[in-house]
Amino acid sequence: MPHMIFIEHDGTRREVDAPVGLSVLEIAHKHGVDLEGACEGSLACATCHVVVDPEWAPKLSEPTEDEEDMLDLAFGLEKTSRLGCQIVMTDALDGLVVRLPRTA
């Protein structure tokens, strides 16, 4: 099974199992990682904003226009910002690293 690494707000690295087919948001919730996801992954908010490690960003599909519109609402937007609900785990993403941005 693939794994991924969350870098939490305080810098703690958490390596977790990341089942293929689940979104980064779903994986975070499965492992108790503090990633909100107020709209439950329906692409209607930006509360699952994550910053993808620059090494991994090119391996992801391009964000859709809808995702980019929602990202415009995120605090602390960075070049590799994405919504966790829109990144779906695959075997090719084994080892994916995402950082949880500060919310304020």
Side-chain angles (χ1 to χ4, degrees):
M1 174 180 302
H3 292 81
M4 67 171 292
I5 297 169
F6 288 96
I7 301 175
E8 298 191 33
H9 306 288
D10 64 1
T12 303
R13 292 173 64 93
R14 287 188 57 190
E15 184 171 341
V16 299
D17 290 338
V20 169
L22 292 186
S23 70
V24 167
L25 175 62
E26 292 169 316
I27 294 164
H29 287 176
K30 175 179 169 63
H31 294 288
V33 173
D34 186 22
L35 186 59
E36 185 176 345
C39 73
E40 298 179 0
S42 64
L43 196 54
C45 73
T47 59
C48 65
H49 170 216
V50 296
V51 179
V52 177
D53 183 279
E55 284 188 32
W56 285 96
K59 298 176 184 177
L60 301 178
S61 60
E62 292 293 317
T64 64
E65 186 174 328
D66 288 340
E67 181 180 359
E68 288 182 349
D69 288 347
M70 285 295 110
L71 280 168
D72 287 341
L73 305 174
F75 178 81
L77 200 63
E78 296 185 26
K79 186 176 181 177
T80 60
S81 288
R82 295 293 302 267
L83 297 180
C85 67
Q86 297 301 296
I87 303 170
V88 176
M89 197 65 185
T90 65
D91 285 323
L93 294 178
D94 186 18
L96 176 66
V97 178
V98 299
R99 179 173 45 85
L100 306 181
R102 299 212 183 274
T103 55

